[in-house]
């Protein structure tokens, strides 16, 4: 990486977007796959160009955050990962007997389970699309174990791998999500179910692209969520309607700025090569890409702590939440808001300015009439 982001000779035109993204990622870096969970998080914050570019380029954001000194404090533990794999293996054992039982199929021998092996994600996606068309034309039950789906996101391809897809005899395709969190008395944790629904909506969106080219096919807008029953390891299932999540995901992904437009706007010399750059160089490169931080990012993005620190240093109102940011209109920094509240700045005819000053007056009035707190009594220890 050059010492200055604006130095160096003009970059020659690149023949492919893939070449440009490889430059940004680093010559030796393996592209980090963009999965459905990351796509769901990206759809929840479509205005963040930083995440769109890093995800599109396949940058390992966890490694990048660690190099910047702000590692992510979330993620699936090794124990939870192993438990999830063990439960999925149980559900799919014996040709998927337990899964087929949940679908109401007593004889697994009547269900086709095609081989989806192929070279590379492109080959697997093509093989999956062919298997879906063949299964729809055959008119029977078909179970696709870990199919590969392709979805274009901001001009960059993403390859997604759902746990399973079931093709019904009438041509319907149903996404199956297998999770290891328990379903107690027929219900599970609402936040976990919501996250699973958002993730499944991405799979449904990708399946719709294939179904549009397949005669007689239709993608179900409800997914089969399979979880352990109560406190046992026995699988149980619930049908989850994802129409709302699908609508939001489709709209938000369509709003994303194309990756090549973001990349073309970068200064010369920008790279996110974690192995080849220092922390200072990476921080300079990250700051070259606009971001849209919100507190919700803390549970969805590996760079959230780094972005929060920068937002706080800049006094940006985004650090207070999207709802607060929306209410403050053209006031973009906390300093501006405080100056308006004190009457030192702002147009009195502006409704936002009027609302801020009214809130400041109400706060001052409440503090003036609040009774003084009695001093806390100290209690000596009898021992």
């Amino acid at each position: 990486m050059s010492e200055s982001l604006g130095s160096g000779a003009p970059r020659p035109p690149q023949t492919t977007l893939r070449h440009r993204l490889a430059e940004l990622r680093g010559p030796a870096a393996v592209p980090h796959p963009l999965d459905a969970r990351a796509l769901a998080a990206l759809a929840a914050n479509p205005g963040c160009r930083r995440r769109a570019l890093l995800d599109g380029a396949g940058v390992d954001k966890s490694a990048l955050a660690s190099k910047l000194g702000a590692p992510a404090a979330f993620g699936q533990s090794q124990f939870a990962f192993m438990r999830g794999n063990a439960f999925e293996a149980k559900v799919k054992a014996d040709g998927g007997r337990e899964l087929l039982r949940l679908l109401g199929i007593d004889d697994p021998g009547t269900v086709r389970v095609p081989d989806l092996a192929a070279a590379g994600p492109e080959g697997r996606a093509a093989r999956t699309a062919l298997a879906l068309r063949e299964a729809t034309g055959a008119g029977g039950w078909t179970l696709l174990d870990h199919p590969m789906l392709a979805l274009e996101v901001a001009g960059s391809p993403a390859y997604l791998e759902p746990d399973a897809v079931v093709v019904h005899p009438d041509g319907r395709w149903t996404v199956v999500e297998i999770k290891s969190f328990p379903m107690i008395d027929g219900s599970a944790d609402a936040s976990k179910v919501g996250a699973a629904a958002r993730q499944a909506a991405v799979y449904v969106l990708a399946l719709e692209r294939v179904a549009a080219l397949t005669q007689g096919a239709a993608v179900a807008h409800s997914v089969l969520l399979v979880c352990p029953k109560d406190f046992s390891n026995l699988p149980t299932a619930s049908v989850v309607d994802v129409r709302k999540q699908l609508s939001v995901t489709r709209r938000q992904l369509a709003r994303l700025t194309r990756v090549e437009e973001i990349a073309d706007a970068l200064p010369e010399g920008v790279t996110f090569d974690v192995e080849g750059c220092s922390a200072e160089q990476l921080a300079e490169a990250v700051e070259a890409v606009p971001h849209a931080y919100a507190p919700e990012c803390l549970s969805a993005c590996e760079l959230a702590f780094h972005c929060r620190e920068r937002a706080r240093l800049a006094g940006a109102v985004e650090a207070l939440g999207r709802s607060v940011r929306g209410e403050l209109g053209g006031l973009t920094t906390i300093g501006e808001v405080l100056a308006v509240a004190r009457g030192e700045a702002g147009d009195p005819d502006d409704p936002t300015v009027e609302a801020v000053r009214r809130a400041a007056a109400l706060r001052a009035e409440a503090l003036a009439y609040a009774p003084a707190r009695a001093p806390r009594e100290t209690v000596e220890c009898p021992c």
Side-chain angles (χ1 to χ4, degrees):
M1 179 174 178
S2 61
E3 295 181 0
S4 174
L5 295 178
S7 64
R11 184 190 306 113
Q14 301 299 331
T15 56
T16 63
L17 173 63
R18 182 176 298 182
H19 188 184
R20 177 72 177 111
L21 296 181
E23 284 185 337
L24 293 173
R25 189 171 57 247
V30 178
H32 198 69
L34 184 61
D35 58 14
R37 184 175 301 176
L39 276 182
L42 184 60
N45 191 7
C48 187
R49 294 191 169 200
R50 179 175 297 173
R51 172 149 196 170
L53 179 64
L54 294 176
D55 282 343
V59 176
D60 187 347
K61 297 194 300 298
S62 293
L64 178 60
S66 297
K67 191 72 174 282
L68 292 173
F74 67 92
Q76 193 175 36
S77 67
Q78 189 65 24
F79 173 76
F81 183 76
M82 294 174 61
R83 181 182 61 189
N85 285 345
F87 179 69
E88 182 179 344
K90 176 179 176 60
V91 173
K92 294 180 178 179
D94 298 328
R97 180 179 295 273
E98 288 286 349
L99 176 57
L100 298 176
R101 175 184 62 82
L102 296 173
L103 289 166
I105 304 172
D106 296 326
D107 184 9
T110 61
V111 180
R112 297 175 63 248
V113 184
D115 182 11
L116 303 178
E122 297 93 340
R124 289 187 59 198
R127 180 68 187 90
T128 296
L130 178 60
L132 285 168
R133 296 189 185 100
E134 292 176 346
T136 304
W141 288 97
T142 301
L143 173 64
L144 277 67
D145 184 12
H146 280 290
M148 182 67 71
L149 307 173
L151 182 66
E152 184 177 293
V153 180
S156 180
Y159 294 96
L160 314 171
E161 189 176 3
D163 293 327
V165 171
V166 175
V167 179
H168 299 248
D170 60 359
R172 282 184 300 123
W173 302 349
T174 299
V175 172
V176 178
E177 272 291 278
I178 302 174
K179 298 296 183 182
S180 60
F181 55 81
M183 193 175 295
I184 302 174
D185 292 333
S187 63
D189 183 270
S191 62
K192 294 181 179 179
V193 173
R198 289 189 293 272
Q199 182 176 339
V202 177
Y203 297 137
V204 172
L205 185 60
L207 275 175
E208 287 183 342
R209 308 298 174 91
V210 184
L213 304 175
T214 305
Q215 185 177 3
V219 183
H221 289 169
S222 58
V223 302
L224 188 69
L225 178 62
V226 181
C227 300
K229 182 178 181 180
D230 298 327
F231 299 100
S232 69
N233 204 33
L234 180 67
T236 187
S238 176
V239 177
V240 180
D241 191 332
V242 297
R243 284 177 295 182
K244 179 181 178 181
Q245 292 83 357
L246 180 62
S247 176
V248 172
T249 301
R250 183 185 290 112
R251 182 174 65 252
Q252 297 292 65
L253 290 181
R255 288 178 54 199
L256 287 172
T257 305
R258 297 182 67 84
V259 172
E260 57 263 38
E261 295 179 17
I262 305 174
D264 290 341
L266 293 177
E268 173 66 28
V270 170
T271 180
F272 305 99
D273 186 0
V274 177
E275 297 297 330
C277 295
S278 65
E280 293 75 15
Q281 290 173 325
L282 288 174
E284 188 179 0
V286 168
E287 291 305 309
V289 190
H291 69 98
Y293 171 76
E296 293 83 355
C297 297
L298 293 174
S299 62
C301 183
E302 295 85 345
L303 285 177
F305 289 97
H306 174 82
C307 296
R308 182 181 65 175
E309 180 185 0
R310 293 299 188 270
R312 287 177 172 177
L313 290 175
V317 295
E318 286 83 358
L320 303 177
R322 291 194 180 100
S323 60
V324 176
R325 175 68 186 91
E327 292 291 337
L328 292 176
L331 303 177
T332 59
T333 66
I334 297 175
E336 291 177 355
V337 175
L338 294 177
V340 166
R342 292 190 294 262
E344 300 171 357
D347 182 1
D349 296 330
D350 188 338
T352 302
V353 173
E354 181 182 0
V356 170
R357 290 180 179 174
R358 176 60 178 163
L362 291 173
R363 177 181 181 276
E365 182 180 349
L367 292 176
Y369 285 96
R373 291 185 179 180
R376 181 178 299 176
E377 296 182 0
T378 58
V379 181
E380 295 183 1
C381 180
C383 58

